[in-house]
Amino acid sequence: MGKVVGAAILAHVPTIMLPQDVRYDLNGGKEISLVPGLKRFRSEVMEVLDYDTVVVLDSHWATTVEFVISAQAERSGLFTSEELPRGMSQIPYAFKGDPELANAVADYDEKNGTWVTPISDPHLPIFYATVNLWHYLGRGLDKRWVSLSVCQTAQTDDFVRAGRALGEAIRDSDRKVLLLASGALSHTFYKLRDLRKHEASDPSHIYSEGALQADLERVEWMKAGDHKRILETMPEFKQFKPEANFSHWLQMAGATGEEANTAKGVMYSEYENSIGTGQVHIYFPEPEGGFPLPKDVTLSREDPTGDVAATRGSAA
């Protein structure tokens, strides 16, 4: 029986890939906490935890008619970002995939009322929400890495359903899996003519006071293990445009029992700004007795319900 052995929400912002002197220049002569946070996360988690596979819940990989999970046996190449090639240019990456686990996720999509398609095409693009984290956390560790997309036509409940399918595949495998929800909290950028005034990491630069307070509330709830409250207040949080509709965190929640999960978050960075958006690293160690299993809910793919609360079932 497989299991989730740890989960985290991690920032992947392009700033972490800039040279140190550039980062210092953007941040008033000091380091952003996200970089030492990733280095500490590597030493305290990635190099110590017993796991087979990393699944990145990639908030930058937008698909349209389904969720897609990478199913290659290995992936390698040089990555240059179409979004910010000045800061992310020809970054080498090379890691094993996990075709067995990726293909297994598709066995659980229909019962959870969703679509998840494994793709093993070697030319499938890769995105910096995966590459940036692997650069800091995966190099030299010889672990399997898999990415799961965000479906841009999905609603809140669809992200949870995809997470349940992933969680069930993990449960019925022999894999020990580390989940990395790669993405931000609130996610509104300043306009071009203003954004260079707001590149420092201080939270005073978050786009709005409302977004700042909404982010800080959720950071506290994560630290307290109150995942239930985050789920219940998604309609309020969506007003502040969380990155990719908070797909990355919601998929993680679906795979780890949703409101039944009370794992407390450990901060691996300060809460920081990035040109208006809210960024943080928070790790959820496996609680005593393990993470709750994903909900055992059988749903039709045609089920029109789009509300998380309306599709609750009994815990597995």
Side-chain angles (χ1 to χ4, degrees):
M1 183 175 179
K3 65 175 182 174
V4 175
V5 295
I9 181 168
L10 300 177
H12 59 241
V13 289
T15 318
I16 66 176
M17 304 301 288
L18 294 172
Q20 185 182 78
D21 61 332
V22 178
R23 297 197 304 266
Y24 277 45
D25 184 58
L26 294 175
N27 196 41
K30 62 181 181 179
E31 180 65 282
I32 62 174
S33 75
L34 299 176
V35 170
L38 285 173
K39 293 177 179 178
R40 185 165 68 92
F41 190 80
R42 178 183 173 112
S43 66
E44 295 181 1
V45 178
M46 306 299 292
E47 295 178 352
V48 176
L49 190 67
D50 180 16
Y51 63 99
D52 306 302
T53 300
V54 175
V55 177
V56 179
L57 309 171
D58 188 318
S59 61
H60 270 241
W61 182 11
T63 51
T64 302
V65 301
E66 62 202 343
F67 293 92
V68 175
I69 189 165
S70 61
Q72 298 90 342
E74 66 88 26
R75 303 186 81 177
S76 62
L78 297 174
F79 174 79
T80 294
S81 169
E82 84 291 356
E83 180 184 342
L84 190 61
R86 174 171 54 86
M88 292 174 286
S89 177
Q90 299 189 45
I91 301 166
Y93 64 91
F95 50 81
K96 296 183 297 187
D98 195 338
E100 183 178 354
L101 179 63
N103 284 292
V105 178
D107 295 336
Y108 300 90
D109 64 348
E110 186 168 356
K111 77 177 290 288
N112 285 290
T114 192
W115 292 265
V116 183
T117 302
I119 297 293
S120 59
D121 186 334
H123 300 290
L124 185 71
I126 195 167
F127 297 87
Y128 73 75
T130 293
V131 172
N132 289 4
L133 294 188
W134 180 84
H135 177 82
Y136 276 94
L137 304 178
R139 288 182 297 165
L141 296 183
D142 196 31
K143 300 291 186 178
R144 302 180 180 102
W145 281 61
V146 171
S147 297
L148 178 64
S149 78
V150 49
C151 181
Q152 62 182 342
T153 55
Q155 301 178 78
T156 294
D157 193 60
D158 295 307
F159 302 127
V160 176
R161 296 182 191 193
R164 290 175 186 160
L166 172 62
E168 290 198 81
I170 293 169
R171 176 197 65 200
D172 294 339
S173 73
D174 62 356
R175 300 290 196 265
K176 294 184 285 288
V177 175
L178 176 60
L179 299 178
L180 302 183
S182 181
L185 301 177
S186 66
H187 200 253
T188 302
F189 297 121
Y190 285 95
K191 301 305 180 187
L192 179 61
R193 294 189 183 182
D194 292 324
L195 67 81
R196 283 169 175 77
K197 304 172 188 174
H198 300 284
E199 291 182 303
S201 64
D202 192 288
S204 63
H205 294 281
I206 296 295
Y207 189 77
S208 70
E209 182 63 24
L212 171 63
Q213 294 307 318
D215 283 353
L216 291 176
E217 282 183 332
R218 280 147 190 85
V219 167
E220 290 304 311
W221 295 340
M222 290 182 198
K223 289 164 59 178
D226 195 352
H227 303 269
K228 178 181 179 180
R229 194 164 185 184
I230 301 172
L231 287 163
E232 291 175 341
T233 59
M234 273 306 301
E236 292 88 340
F237 193 36
K238 286 179 72 174
Q239 298 176 54
F240 302 105
K241 300 180 180 179
E243 183 164 22
N245 289 307
F246 221 32
S247 60
H248 46 299
W249 186 89
L250 290 164
Q251 290 170 335
M252 181 175 68
T256 54
E258 298 159 60
E259 76 278 359
N261 180 16
T262 58
K264 291 179 169 58
V266 179
M267 298 284 285
Y268 271 82
S269 75
E270 299 172 13
Y271 168 75
E272 294 188 346
N273 163 72
S274 178
I275 58 172
T277 68
Q279 309 290 336
V280 73
H281 302 321
I282 302 179
Y283 176 53
F284 305 98
E286 182 181 11
E288 185 176 354
F291 287 99
L293 293 176
K295 285 183 174 294
D296 187 7
V297 181
T298 301
L299 297 166
S300 165
R301 287 180 171 183
E302 286 72 36
D303 188 318
T305 303
D307 176 54
V308 174
T311 60
R312 295 297 185 211
S314 58

